[in-house]
Amino acid sequence: FFLGLTATEKKLAEYKCNTNEAIQLKLVRFPEDLEDENTTFNPEYSHQVFGDDEVAFGYKGLKILLYYIAGNLSTLFRIEYTSRVNEKFDCVEADDVESKIREIIPPGFCTNTDDFVSLLEKEVNFKPFGMLLHTYSIHNEEAGEDITYQIYKADMTCPGFREYHERLQTFLMWFIETASFIDVDDERWNYFLVFEKYNKDGATLFATVGYMTVYNYYVYPDKTRPRVSQMLILPPFQGEGHGAQLLETVHRYYMSSPTVLDITAEDPSENYVKLRDFVLVKLCQDLVCFSPVKLMQGFSQEMVTEAQQKLKINKQHTRRVYEILRLRATNMGDAEQSRSYRLDVKRRLIGPYKKKQRELAKMRRCLRPEEMTNQLNQIDLNLQREQLEESFQQLVSDYRRVLERLAQA
């Protein structure tokens, strides 16, 4: 009996597919892209659709094709496999992969390649939505030329944008770990989109590169605080500097508005924080309050005020900008300068520890002694020193990376 079971189990194990590998994404510009392996990319995550183990059961050689036309993102969705378990013989049912994908992609997609290719011919009519905010170009080694990109601000009143956004946001599921779709009927959302201009048969076409959603929170009595919610540069375009262009453009857009208090971000990822450090330091480095002389005098209210009024940067982020720019102005080989910098940053880092100690002091007053020792053991002073030093070293290496990127910009 047990032998039989393992044989069956072995057989069934062959019908498990890793969904991150099975899902094949493409942004298609030319019919030949369909056959070109180099244009295919895979998700980083599929757990929101296929569960934590990111497995689809019941197929061998499973391919889940999700191809998008580069500009307006019209979609081709097909499932291919070499074989599938059969209820009659194998007494098990294959996962319903199709309905899982249908839950996140909007209706109206193609299921066969011919329909998709004929839609591709209409792509020449696709134009970006909304208002043009910024144009920039990046030199492309492979193409041996400069490629032009544009950033637009759109909203749900733009004809066709609602449907386009429904297709665009499906990418979040594959590339942002905790992604969720937003309520587009709430008018306080702003959408910022990046497009690449490219040529096809003598015409200029636009390809989707990435986007950002920002929610405008109301701040009493008459201000708003825009909060970055989602930001995604599509994988074929990552690492080219589009994220920095997008974030800087969004900051500049809100900077011109007298009713905006400052810009924040919702639950930012590590990568987003690195990007933001770079963009904010780039924006702040020329402010009078960040001159080397003033940096050496320490963090000041003047920095907070100027960064908020001119650049819509909040206090917490201004403090990081100060630490990064002060590192640049500090000769770390000089014992005195380096010690002064270290103390300055550690004084900020120790804040949370101090808070914990105040909480412990409160507990001391109301806990029995034996309960207290447990709590105290958690905060060993040596450990605290070590953690503090570790945090400091980590920060300095992050800050150096920002400064390196700035030096190249």
Side-chain angles (χ1 to χ4, degrees), residues 60-97:
K60 271 187 192 176
L62 177 66
K63 284 183 184 175
I64 301 165
L65 308 182
L66 277 169
Y67 294 174
Y68 293 80
I69 291 179
N72 78 2
L73 304 178
S74 298
T75 315
L76 169 71
F77 167 43
R78 290 179 52 173
I79 292 173
E80 299 174 354
Y81 47 83
T82 49
S83 68
R84 172 182 175 151
V85 292
N86 181 323
E87 269 182 277
K88 274 205 193 85
F89 295 109
D90 306 311
C91 309
V92 286
E93 208 178 334
D95 289 346
D96 185 354
V97 170

Side-chain angles (χ1 to χ4, degrees), residues 19 34 64 67 111 186 329 331 348 373 377 387:
T19 46
L34 290 169
I64 301 165
Y67 294 174
T111 51
D186 187 330
N331 172 6
R348 173 182 68 81
T373 51
N377 290 344
Q387 284 175 339

Side-chain angles (χ1 to χ4, degrees), residues 230-358:
Q230 293 150 329
M231 176 176 182
L232 177 64
I233 301 297
L234 295 170
F237 303 97
Q238 286 173 7
E240 295 175 358
H242 301 292
Q245 290 280 355
L246 178 56
L247 186 55
E248 184 174 338
T249 300
V250 169
H251 254 273
R252 290 190 186 282
Y253 171 77
Y254 289 117
M255 263 154 48
S256 58
S257 166
T259 58
V260 170
L261 197 62
D262 53 35
I263 300 167
T264 62
E266 178 187 337
D267 191 20
S269 68
E270 219 173 285
N271 282 340
Y272 180 80
V273 171
K274 286 175 182 163
L275 180 69
R276 181 174 65 199
D277 283 343
F278 168 70
V279 169
L280 299 190
V281 169
K282 185 169 174 255
L283 288 170
C284 287
Q285 59 183 350
D286 299 325
L287 292 181
V288 178
C289 63
F290 287 111
S291 67
V293 176
K294 294 200 167 169
L295 287 166
M296 290 317 199
Q297 290 165 2
F299 188 55
S300 66
Q301 185 53 46
E302 183 195 356
M303 292 169 182
V304 176
T305 310
E306 197 172 351
Q308 183 167 22
Q309 285 175 355
K310 291 187 178 164
L311 303 171
K312 311 295 183 188
I313 298 172
N314 69 22
K315 182 176 179 176
Q316 188 192 352
H317 300 161
T318 304
R319 171 73 206 204
R320 275 182 80 92
V321 167
Y322 152 76
E323 288 177 6
I324 294 169
L325 286 173
R326 177 156 174 187
L327 177 64
R328 183 167 75 176
T330 300
N331 172 6
M332 291 302 268
D334 177 309
E336 188 45 48
Q337 282 192 32
S338 139
R339 181 174 168 277
S340 162
Y341 181 75
R342 183 181 294 267
L343 283 173
D344 188 52
V345 174
K346 283 192 173 179
R347 221 172 281 136
R348 173 182 68 81
L349 290 176
I350 206 163
Y353 293 108
K354 287 257 171 72
K355 187 176 168 214
K356 219 169 186 179
Q357 271 157 338
R358 285 196 296 276

Side-chain angles (χ1 to χ4, degrees), residues 1-48:
F1 172 72
F2 284 113
L3 280 175
L5 186 69
T6 49
T8 310
E9 271 182 349
K10 263 187 195 148
K11 186 180 170 198
L12 294 181
E14 291 174 9
Y15 284 91
K16 280 184 176 173
C17 295
N18 174 331
T19 46
N20 289 342
E21 289 165 16
I23 296 167
Q24 302 192 351
L25 304 163
K26 263 186 207 291
L27 294 164
V28 178
R29 299 182 185 196
F30 305 98
E32 51 270 27
D33 293 345
L34 290 169
E35 302 304 319
D36 183 355
E37 295 278 302
N38 296 323
T39 60
T40 307
F41 55 102
N42 302 91
E44 270 174 55
Y45 309 103
S46 53
H47 62 89
Q48 302 227 60

